[in-house]
Amino acid sequence: MALANAKIAGLTDDLQMKGSEINTALGVYYLACVKTGPQLIACRFLFGAVQAGYLTGSLYFISFWYPRDRVRRRMGFFFASSGIGGIIVGPLCSGLTSAKVGNLLPWQNIFLFIGLISGVWGLLGPFVLEDYPDTASFLKDGERAVIRRIMEHQNTVASSGRISMRQVKLSVSDYKIWLWTIIDFCANAATQVNGMFGPTIIASQGYSSQVSQALTALTNFMAFSGMASIAYIAKMLRGSSNAIAFSTLVTITGFILALASPNNTGRMVALFIFSFASPQPAAHGPAWEMANQQGDTKPAMAAALTSAFGGLGPLATAFVYRDQDEPRFALGHAVCLGMTILCLLATLILRIVLEKENRRRDNSTVDLSELSKEQIKDLADNHPAFRYSI
């Protein structure tokens, strides 16, 4: 978000960045000390490398604290936090652009202060986050026992310390995880349009840098509203697959409107529509996936594989929203439209697969009496008593 706001605050002019260099910086994933375009790209790369494990670890962490039927809501809160950040960052960047701090340029103010806030807040993590329910100091013994009993029933106890190579292999060969990865890849490509290019899209409609940064608070509020409501939407539509299908259809409508609109008003309306709907599949997908994992190791592997490969989706977005295409950005919107359609198709296929597997298990009987306790654990979600959440 900081880089997107810094771009319209003069970053590309001051660093003499041309062509697709800013897109490369966005793609490789901020520092106030950079002086040239290559330095920015290098810093962005290092920042992305350090941050790479955050999403995977967070999904894994959440899945071991809450039972399957409550994971979706908690992940909704988690993903909604990025929307809250956007609501705050937009007006903050607008103020920082106008501020004079020593010899710093406006975009350097953004990187310095946003970076300081993130850094200080991150340092608090080890002191406020507990590793597992079993070791949480704020829980009473009776509360720990209840949580452990629930999680043992679901075969998702985090503090066992056991890594199952069988579950690792099972994860890599599980085509359902790769379908969730496709969903995540396509959803991330679309949802990052507002985060990476929202200020640029708004500014291209004729607004000043400061006004554009302030207006991003509104688009980020739409994103926050969409992500904060994922649990309620999934409950209302009776399942994550229905919720993803609904949100992708709304997102498709937004991108079609953006492509078809001949004026700025229509394009701004389209931006608000897909800013609201496009983040939802990116939140529904991981929540749906983690609610359908079981075992000591498979949830972590599923989160890692989906985040690693699905997280590459924004790379496509980073290189198709080009300055020469403003104010319509037809290429970028068309690519994201196609990605969203593919997300919808993968969701429908996965739903059919899970429903078919549930029916098969309902109509079959499997004898596990000859398996050891560890072998039964290693069945993970292939356990005959496990039913997939649709």
Side-chain angles (χ1 to χ4, degrees):
M1 291 181 185
L3 185 54
N5 283 280
K7 179 187 175 186
I8 63 172
L11 179 146
T12 52
D13 292 333
D14 292 330
L15 297 186
Q16 298 179 352
M17 300 182 75
K18 300 178 181 179
S20 62
E21 286 184 326
I22 185 64
N23 301 82
T24 303
L26 285 163
V28 296
Y29 211 109
Y30 54 21
L31 296 174
C33 62
V34 297
K35 302 297 183 182
T36 66
Q39 288 178 2
L40 174 66
I41 294 173
C43 289
R44 182 71 167 175
F45 175 82
L46 292 174
F47 176 69
V50 173
Q51 194 189 35
Y54 171 71
L55 178 59
T56 301
S58 298
L59 298 180
Y60 182 61
F61 183 78
I62 292 172
S63 71
F64 282 123
W65 275 86
Y66 302 100
R68 292 177 62 207
D69 59 338
R70 299 186 183 182
V71 164
R72 185 188 296 119
R73 179 176 295 183
R74 270 63 185 185
M75 288 194 179
F77 293 152
F78 170 74
F79 282 101
S81 65
S82 64
I84 297 175
I87 294 171
I88 298 171
V89 165
L92 179 59
C93 287
S94 180
L96 290 172
T97 301
S98 304
K100 181 63 178 177
V101 181
N103 295 322
L104 294 179
L105 297 169
W107 58 268
Q108 290 177 314
N109 291 339
I110 293 174
F111 286 152
L112 177 62
F113 287 98
I114 300 299
L116 282 173
I117 293 172
S118 300
V120 171
W121 187 253
L123 290 174
L124 296 176
F127 302 99
V128 299
L129 288 177
E130 301 278 2
D131 291 333
Y132 308 116
D134 279 358
T135 59
S137 60
F138 59 85
L139 292 175
K140 299 178 181 178
D141 290 341
E143 293 171 330
R144 290 195 195 94
V146 170
I147 294 174
R148 184 172 183 84
R149 187 162 59 248
I150 293 172
M151 304 309 276
E152 280 183 338
H153 178 70
Q154 296 187 359
N155 193 17
T156 53
V157 178
S159 57
S160 65
R162 177 176 180 265
I163 298 177
S164 167
M165 291 309 298
R166 177 177 172 80
Q167 290 184 38
V168 171
K169 296 176 182 178
L170 186 64
S171 301
V172 175
S173 62
D174 189 349
Y175 67 94
K176 298 186 295 298
I177 289 179
W178 295 108
L179 281 171
W180 269 304
T181 300
I182 293 174
I183 292 170
D184 199 49
F185 179 90
C186 297
N188 280 323
T191 192
Q192 288 300 321
V193 174
N194 177 50
M196 291 198 295
F197 294 101
T200 300
I201 294 173
I202 295 172
S204 71
Q205 310 307 312
Y207 297 100
S208 68
S209 172
Q210 288 86 352
V211 172
S212 297
Q213 288 165 339
L215 285 174
T216 59
L218 298 179
T219 59
N220 282 300
F221 176 77
M222 297 297 292
F224 162 74
S225 300
M227 287 186 286
S229 62
I230 69 164
Y232 306 100
I233 293 175
K235 182 178 181 179
M236 181 178 65
L237 297 178
R238 300 182 179 180
S240 291
S241 60
N242 290 336
I244 295 175
F246 170 77
S247 57
T248 52
L249 288 172
V250 177
T251 304
I252 288 170
T253 302
F255 282 123
I256 291 176
L257 179 60
L259 287 167
S261 294
N263 54 58
N264 294 348
T265 301
R267 296 183 198 118
M268 288 297 294
V269 171
L271 177 61
F272 275 86
I273 291 174
F274 64 69
S275 292
F276 170 78
S278 65
Q280 293 182 35
H284 280 298
W288 185 23
E289 179 184 32
M290 298 310 294
N292 281 306
Q293 303 304 316
Q294 192 169 343
D296 301 305
T297 307
K298 197 162 185 278
M301 283 298 300
L305 290 170
T306 300
S307 297
F309 293 99
L312 296 175
L315 273 175
T317 308
F319 291 98
V320 295
Y321 281 85
R322 307 173 304 178
D323 288 344
Q324 61 262 41
D325 296 330
E326 63 179 44
R328 295 187 64 241
F329 295 100
L331 175 62
H333 292 329
V335 169
C336 287
L337 173 61
M339 290 282 195
T340 307
I341 293 173
L342 180 57
C343 179
L344 174 60
L345 293 176
T347 299
L348 296 178
I349 292 171
L350 183 56
R351 178 191 172 96
I352 293 170
V353 167
L354 297 182
E355 287 180 330
K356 182 179 179 180
E357 181 61 21
N358 281 346
R359 287 195 299 269
R360 187 190 69 79
R361 295 182 187 183
D362 288 340
N363 297 321
S364 64
T365 303
V366 179
D367 183 13
L368 303 179
S369 60
E370 296 183 0
L371 298 181
S372 68
K373 183 178 179 180
E374 297 303 318
Q375 288 175 320
I376 292 175
K377 278 188 175 183
D378 283 342
L379 291 173
D381 54 278
N382 288 330
H383 193 289
F386 186 90
R387 295 297 181 270
Y388 291 105
S389 170
I390 306 299

